[in-house]
């Protein structure tokens, strides 16, 4: 099934990014006419007309397949109609994509018909994306698609993008546009790092002061409950899960403005210095607050996962505080502040477990030997390959599932083609058993926001993130060559530009349809 084209012609697979798992394609091509082109449901399909996910996908993909078609155009002749017939095994039209949702699909294109079969609507949406990328135009603007057979599924179940909306506020529109671009590269998790030290833009219904005092501006720079619902529902239609992160006990400076007694007062000698450190782990009121906040968060965000952070906790403020030191003695922690952090995180994880949510935490939590439930996922963000490979071995040896982000901190920029480094990452290349390798559930591209807002988010993210997308979706052996990926990624980048995503160029060259300015 894995035949490749001998020539790199853009008419076949070079057009699909990320590369499908198995395909055969031919030079036989069929003309498509937008006035005689239809989407429909197969007779045997569990989902039929009225399925929100597929009905909206059909509308969306019609415009993507025929970018310069307007119904005013008179196509001189209406030739034989072309039907894209979609069949799914289960009707999950009104549900949310889950961690174990199948995204597998089979696509067969022959004369007059493309037949798309998938287990779930999420797989069907991935197949529609593939089909949309296979359609091309000749020099006269006529549309074609080649005869093709595809069997496709993702290598990893978790393929994420992190956006940071605390260091800079990203308007909802910018988030929705990112979700569109994510779907084009088959990413399936939006990790929303929604709050942090600089600002708290999430408008909590339980604790409205958190945003009214902690956001950059209490009205213009917040995400209302309806903004959040809009993002979640838009993501759902693209088969994208929304993973909220409320990072603590560090990275919480903005929380303290709207919630008194939450942060630890720092001391200079025996007097408070007026500054604050991480969340105060010694007060019962801290855990009561966290329980109420996470109760709200877990009802607002439908995904079964919540990210609890747990990274970069600075112990100096805790060390300076006499109440904290007294608590340490009482608990028998001595002077080992990692034990205090462990105590805190264990309490928070227990809160989210009671809410029936699976926790994701940054690797620091594992490094401090904290007792956390078996199903907790660890998120690796530190170090060069030799460092994160060791960490992958250690964490999976302990039987924990893991996500890899360290090689994909895409907010770091440099001159030249850094996408090549993102492309050649090998997430399962570490010493360990086959069982250990299976515990790597996927990876994530992180765009931290110190230097990024809506003005430069898209060019900085795309097409660089797409290199990681192919690594997380496609077969590693079939996509091992950076040089054969290059013309395909260049082509895909032009497709992104044509679709209105301001993806930056990879190197010298041109697109047939250049970005026209604002």
């Amino acid at each position: 099934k894995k035949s490749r084209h001998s020539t790199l012609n853009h008419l076949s697979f070079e057009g699909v990014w990320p590369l499908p798992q198995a395909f055969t394609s031919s030079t036989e091509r069929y003309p498509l006419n937008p006035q005689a082109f239809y989407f429909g449901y197969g007779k045997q399909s569990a989902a039929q007309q009225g399925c929100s996910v597929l009905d909206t996908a059909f509308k969306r993909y019609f415009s993507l397949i025929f970018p310069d078609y307007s119904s005013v155009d008179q196509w001189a002749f209406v030739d034989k109609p072309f039907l894209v017939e979609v069949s799914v095994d289960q009707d999950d039209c009104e549900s949310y994509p889950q961690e174990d949702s199948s995204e597998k699909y089979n696509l067969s294109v022959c004369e007059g018909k493309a037949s798309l079969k998938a287990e779930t609507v999420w797989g069907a949406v991935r197949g529609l994306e593939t089909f949309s990328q296979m359609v091309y135009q000749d020099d006269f603007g006529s549309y074609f698609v080649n005869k093709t057979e595809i069997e496709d599924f993702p290598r990893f179940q978790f393929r994420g993008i992190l956006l940071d909306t605390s260091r800079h506020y990203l308007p909802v529109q910018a988030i929705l546009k990112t979700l569109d671009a994510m779907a084009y590269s088959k990413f399936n998790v939006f990790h929303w790092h929604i709050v942090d030290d600089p600002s708290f833009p999430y408008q909590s219904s339980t604790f409205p002061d958190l945003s009214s005092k902690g956001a950059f501006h209490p009205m213009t720079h917040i995400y209302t409950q309806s903004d959040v619902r809009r993002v979640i529902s838009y993501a759902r239609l693209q088969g994208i899960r929304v993973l909220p992160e409320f990072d603590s006990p560090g990275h919480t400076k903005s929380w303290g403005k709207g919630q008194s007694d939450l942060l630890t007062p720092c001391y200079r000698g025996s007097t408070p210095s007026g500054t604050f450190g991480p969340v105060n782990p010694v007060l019962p009121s801290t855990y009561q607050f966290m329980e109420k906040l996470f109760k709200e968060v877990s009802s607002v965000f439908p995904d079964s996962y919540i990210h609890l952070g747990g990274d970069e906790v600075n112990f100096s403020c805790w060390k300076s505080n006499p109440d904290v030191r007294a608590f340490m003695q009482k608990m028998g922690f001595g002077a080992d502040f990692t034990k205090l952090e462990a105590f805190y995180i264990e309490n928070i994880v227990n809160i989210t477990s009671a809410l029936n949510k699976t926790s994701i935490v940054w690797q620091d939590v594992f490094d401090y030997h904290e007792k956390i439930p078996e199903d907790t996922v660890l998120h690796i963000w530190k170090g060069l390959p030799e460092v994160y490979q060791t960490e992958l071995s250690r964490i999976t040896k302990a039987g924990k599932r893991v996500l890899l982000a360290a090689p994909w901190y895409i907010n770091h920029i440099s001159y030249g083609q850094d996408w090549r480094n993102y492309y050649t990452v090998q997430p399962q290349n570490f010493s360990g058993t086959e069982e250990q390798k299976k515990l790597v559930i996927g990876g994530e591209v992180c765009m931290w926001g110190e230097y990024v807002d809506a003005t430069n988010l898209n060019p900085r993210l795309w097409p660089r993130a797409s290199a990681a997308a192919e690594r997380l979706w496609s077969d590693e052996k079939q996509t091992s060559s950076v040089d054969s990926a290059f013309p395909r990624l260049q082509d895909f980048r032009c497709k992104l530009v044509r679709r209105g995503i301001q993806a930056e160029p990879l190197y010298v060259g041109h697109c047939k349809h250049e970005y026209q300015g604002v």
Side-chain angles (χ1 to χ4, degrees), residues 359-378:
S359 303
I360 305 186
V361 291
W362 295 108
Q363 71 185 74
D364 315 43
V365 171
F366 178 83
D367 299 342
Y368 289 143
H369 311 296
E370 299 169 21
K371 293 193 252 338
I372 44 177
E374 263 323 286
D375 64 353
T376 306
V377 177
L378 289 144

Side-chain angles (χ1 to χ4, degrees), residues 221-353:
H221 288 58
I222 58 168
Y223 300 107
T224 62
Q225 293 287 311
S226 98
D227 290 334
V228 172
R229 278 197 299 274
R230 192 170 161 210
V231 167
I232 292 167
S233 101
Y234 195 92
R236 181 187 90 85
L237 292 171
Q238 310 263 23
I240 295 172
R241 299 162 51 198
V242 180
L243 168 70
E245 179 183 358
F246 287 79
D247 189 353
S248 74
H251 288 282
T252 48
K253 231 174 221 49
S254 66
W255 302 39
K257 298 185 176 135
Q259 186 63 24
S260 52
D261 300 332
L262 178 64
L263 303 184
T264 309
C266 312
Y267 276 68
R268 200 178 288 112
S270 58
T271 52
S273 66
T275 59
F276 294 88
V279 167
N280 191 336
V282 310
L283 299 178
S285 59
T286 291
Y287 302 102
Q288 287 153 10
F289 163 79
M290 288 293 184
E291 188 164 9
K292 286 194 188 116
L293 179 67
F294 280 113
K295 190 173 184 168
E296 173 188 327
V297 167
S298 69
S299 71
V300 170
F301 291 89
D303 201 79
S304 58
Y305 281 56
I306 289 187
H307 204 304
L308 300 176
D311 60 317
E312 299 185 308
V313 181
N314 181 332
F315 296 146
S316 58
C317 183
W318 281 353
K319 283 179 181 151
S320 75
N321 183 299
D323 298 334
V324 173
R325 287 200 306 264
F327 182 82
M328 297 272 288
Q329 294 313 122
K330 187 183 103 183
M331 298 297 289
F333 294 162
D336 184 354
F337 284 85
T338 63
K339 291 203 168 88
L340 182 60
E341 184 184 356
F343 169 81
Y344 171 82
I345 292 282
E346 284 159 25
N347 274 294
I348 301 300
V349 170
N350 289 343
I351 289 171
T352 51
S353 297

Side-chain angles (χ1 to χ4, degrees), residues 160-223:
I161 296 258
L162 175 148
L163 294 184
D164 164 4
T165 57
S166 172
R167 292 179 176 88
H168 283 96
Y169 177 82
L170 294 171
V172 172
Q173 211 40 56
I175 295 175
L176 302 184
K177 188 150 202 167
T178 302
L179 292 167
D180 284 337
M182 283 171 65
Y184 304 156
S185 287
K186 297 187 172 76
F187 280 104
N188 68 345
V189 180
F190 166 39
H191 175 173
W192 195 348
H193 187 88
I194 190 166
V195 297
D196 204 299
D197 286 324
S199 76
F200 196 109
Y202 171 74
Q203 188 174 48
S204 161
S205 52
T206 323
F207 301 102
D209 278 356
L210 290 170
S211 64
S212 68
K213 297 182 177 164
F216 287 131
H217 184 282
M219 298 302 286
T220 55
H221 288 58
I222 58 168
Y223 300 107

Side-chain angles (χ1 to χ4, degrees), residues 105 116 403:
Y105 66 91
L116 172 59
L403 275 175

